[in-house]
Amino acid sequence: MTHSIMTHPYYGAFFMLVLTAVAFYGVLILQRFLSRKLSRLDTEKLKVSLYECGPRVNKQPSSISIQFYLIALLFILFDVEIIFMFPWAIDFKYLGMFGFAEMILFIVLLAIGFAYAWKKGALEWHNIK
């Protein structure tokens, strides 16, 4: 046991992790304290009142069209699929013809999924009125 904890190669990283956690917690507590002391609590009536001669405040309907979710899901799906192509492009020469065939199969499967979504009308925007 000739070395101490201070000479460990990851001691600095661990120290920074602990210091960051303590600083984050301290700033969080300070922010919470200051926001409660400095905030005005009597503005609730002002927030719901009319602004000059504007229209009455209407509550937004809580239902959101499923079309938003479908478009977001398809975007994430195809975006993540594109990200999978970057490692292939970097090691293209190393992978050879096997890697090329794998990527062609991958792109064909993507195209089939895209055609299916297009056929089902998931890419069209439906106006509901």
Side-chain angles (χ1 to χ4, degrees), residues 9-80:
Y10 291 114
Y11 175 72
F14 178 71
F15 180 72
M16 290 299 292
L17 176 72
V18 171
L19 185 66
T20 303
V22 169
F24 176 77
Y25 185 70
V27 168
L28 185 67
I29 297 298
L30 180 66
Q31 175 269 333
R32 193 170 189 186
F33 174 75
L34 287 177
S35 66
R36 287 185 178 174
K37 291 297 179 189
L38 298 176
S39 67
R40 293 180 53 190
L41 300 176
D42 60 344
T43 59
E44 186 61 34
K45 292 177 186 173
L46 180 64
K47 287 180 183 177
V48 295
S49 68
L50 296 178
Y51 176 70
E52 293 181 2
C53 60
R56 294 218 177 260
V57 178
N58 293 332
K59 189 174 182 183
Q60 182 180 2
S62 61
S63 64
I64 298 176
S65 173
I66 191 70
Q67 195 68 27
F68 287 112
Y69 298 112
L70 287 176
I71 295 294
L73 184 67
L74 286 172
F75 172 76
I76 290 172
L77 174 73
F78 288 111
D79 193 42
V80 168

Side-chain angles (χ1 to χ4, degrees), residues 60-109:
Q60 182 180 2
S62 61
S63 64
I64 298 176
S65 173
I66 191 70
Q67 195 68 27
F68 287 112
Y69 298 112
L70 287 176
I71 295 294
L73 184 67
L74 286 172
F75 172 76
I76 290 172
L77 174 73
F78 288 111
D79 193 42
V80 168
E81 302 296 335
I82 294 298
I83 290 172
F84 283 141
M85 291 182 186
F86 280 106
W88 171 80
I90 291 172
D91 288 336
F92 178 71
K93 288 183 180 179
Y94 176 73
L95 296 173
M97 286 305 289
F98 178 73
F100 181 72
E102 289 280 333
M103 188 49 65
I104 293 297
L105 179 66
F106 183 71
I107 291 172
V108 166
L109 289 175

